[in-house]
Every structure is written in structure tokens, then in C-alpha cells.
Amino acid sequence: MNDTVDKLVIFLAKRDGIDKLVKTFQYVSKIAHWHAEAKNPEIAQRAKQWEVASGLSRKAFRTGRFLTGFNALRRSPGSNPTLRFLAVLANAGEMVYFFFDHFLWLSRIGTLNPNLARKMSFISAFGESFGYVFFIVLDFIALKEGVEAEKKVAALEDKSAETKSESLRKIRADRVMRLMAVAANVADLVIGIADIEPNPFCNHAVTLGISGLVSAWSGWYRNWPS
């Protein structure tokens, strides 16, 4: 039976679709700003305003999302001690990310002291990057287990061809979803590193733009209703 936290998480998750759409706007406009900056400053400025507005809108949509990680640990922390440990680290990082992102949003819109924005951005990005490293590790473990499960199913002789085919289909579908998750998490990790440790590669508009679009579209694929 779902309790109050479960119901709240389900409610908040319904905004994932619009978040991915607005994230697409945010990073398309970032690339457009970079492309137009030298030749058409007016268009570049409009693209920059679109990017900033999209980024702030996404932060509003994510209000309360830190509860998702808390609920994941509460309901399904992992099937063995190693997975539970990795899940705690991954979800703890994500919870820090979403929690401090609230303060980043409030400081950027002027509700809190704007001078707090840089500090909140660093803490939020650090939590995000920390969590995504362990989410990637968890996905690679799941991919490895999937390959082993596929070999076992393929070697079975006491199952009908139809049953084996269905089992293999489910394993391969899960593998695609895991690969999409890895792509999204790696892309978001690049964006996080750009905030934590600015450098020419991660902070380039094209790198950030492509990373944002990979993250948005991978998430879109994974969450698209079947």
C-alpha cells in the first residue's frame, strides 16, 4: 500500500516529461546563443534569455524532488550489501543536489541573497556529480548481471522457444534502458564538473549543449509511456 511519501513521489514524478522538454529548450538555446554570438548579437541575446528562463523554470518544477532519493532508499535499497551501499551513496548525492538546488533557484530569482548563488551552485553540482558516479557504477553492475542472465537463458534446454524468446526480449530491453541511463548520467556528470571545476572542455557551450540534450533525450526515451 502506498503511504503519503509514496504518493508524493508519484505526484512529483509526473513532471519529468515537461522537465525533459524544457531541458531541451535550455540546451538548444545555449547552442543557438554560442552560434549567433559573433554574427548576430541580438539573436544571441534572445537565445540567452530563453536559456536562463528555461533553467529557472526547471528548478521550479523540481521542487521536492529530493524526496525521490529518500523514498528509493526506504523502499528498495538493494538486494545485497554492496548494492545497498552504492545505492545509499548515489541517492544521498542526488538528494543533496535537489535540496540545495532549491536555494540556488531562490537566490537566482532574488528571494534569497543573490551572492549565495555561487555557493549553492557548487554544493548542488558536487552532490549531483557524486551521486551520478555511483549511479553509473550501479548501472554497469546491472548490465554485467544482464549479460550473465542472457547467457544462462540462452543455454536452457528445458524451456520452450517462446518462453526463452520472451525472457531474452525482457533482458535486452532492460539493457537498452540501462545504457540510456548511463548516457544520461555521464552527460549530467560533465555538466556537474563544469560547475565544480571549470575547464575549457566541460564549459564549452557545445559540450554543455550536447551533454544537456543527451541527458534530456535519454531520459525522455526511458520515461516515454509504453
Side-chain angles (χ1 to χ4, degrees):
M1 179 181 291
N2 291 336
D3 63 13
T4 303
V5 176
D6 288 318
K7 291 176 181 176
L8 182 59
V9 169
I10 291 168
F11 168 75
L12 292 170
K14 291 179 180 177
R15 290 176 289 181
D16 277 353
I18 190 67
D19 179 67
K20 301 308 178 193
L21 177 61
V22 179
K23 190 171 188 176
T24 298
F25 294 158
Q26 180 183 357
Y27 287 98
V28 164
S29 58
K30 178 178 280 292
I31 294 173
H33 171 262
W34 169 78
H35 182 70
E37 193 171 17
K39 296 181 180 178
N40 198 326
E42 184 181 351
I43 296 296
Q45 180 59 28
R46 291 179 184 178
K48 186 65 179 178
Q49 290 171 341
W50 188 19
E51 177 195 345
V52 171
S54 298
L56 291 174
S57 298
R58 290 185 59 230
K59 292 185 187 304
F61 290 139
R62 294 199 297 257
T63 301
R65 278 290 299 276
F66 66 92
L67 288 171
T68 303
F70 169 71
N71 209 46
L73 292 176
R74 212 170 57 106
R75 292 299 184 189
S76 54
S79 58
N80 61 56
T82 299
L83 293 181
R84 283 194 286 272
F85 178 68
L86 291 171
V88 166
L89 294 175
N91 284 285
E94 188 179 66
M95 288 165 66
V96 168
Y97 161 48
F98 284 125
F99 184 76
F100 282 93
D101 199 50
H102 299 343
F103 297 104
L104 173 59
W105 170 52
L106 291 172
S107 60
R108 288 222 168 126
I109 63 175
T111 304
L112 295 179
N113 187 340
N115 294 330
L116 289 172
R118 182 59 214 154
K119 186 175 183 180
M120 295 300 104
S121 178
F122 179 87
I123 296 171
S124 178
F126 184 85
E128 177 186 26
S129 302
F130 181 87
Y132 285 141
V133 167
F134 294 102
F135 277 125
I136 291 167
V137 172
L138 283 166
D139 280 323
F140 274 118
I141 290 172
L143 285 166
K144 182 172 179 276
E145 291 175 348
V147 170
E148 292 170 355
E150 184 178 20
K151 290 177 180 177
K152 289 178 182 178
V153 171
L156 291 174
E157 296 181 355
D158 58 341
K159 298 280 187 181
S160 67
E162 186 178 343
T163 302
K164 285 175 65 174
S165 177
E166 178 63 17
S167 297
L168 290 171
R169 187 191 67 78
K170 289 180 179 178
I171 292 169
R172 288 164 184 165
D174 179 73
R175 182 181 302 150
V176 172
M177 292 300 179
R178 296 284 180 182
L179 288 171
M180 291 293 103
V182 169
N185 289 334
V186 169
D188 283 326
L189 181 59
V190 170
I191 295 171
I193 291 171
D195 249 344
I196 299 167
E197 192 64 43
N199 61 83
F201 174 74
C202 290
N203 289 79
H204 195 283
V206 174
T207 304
L208 288 172
I210 291 173
S211 297
L213 292 177
V214 167
S215 173
W217 294 345
S218 297
W220 217 336
Y221 180 86
R222 287 183 292 131
N223 293 297
W224 192 258
S226 56

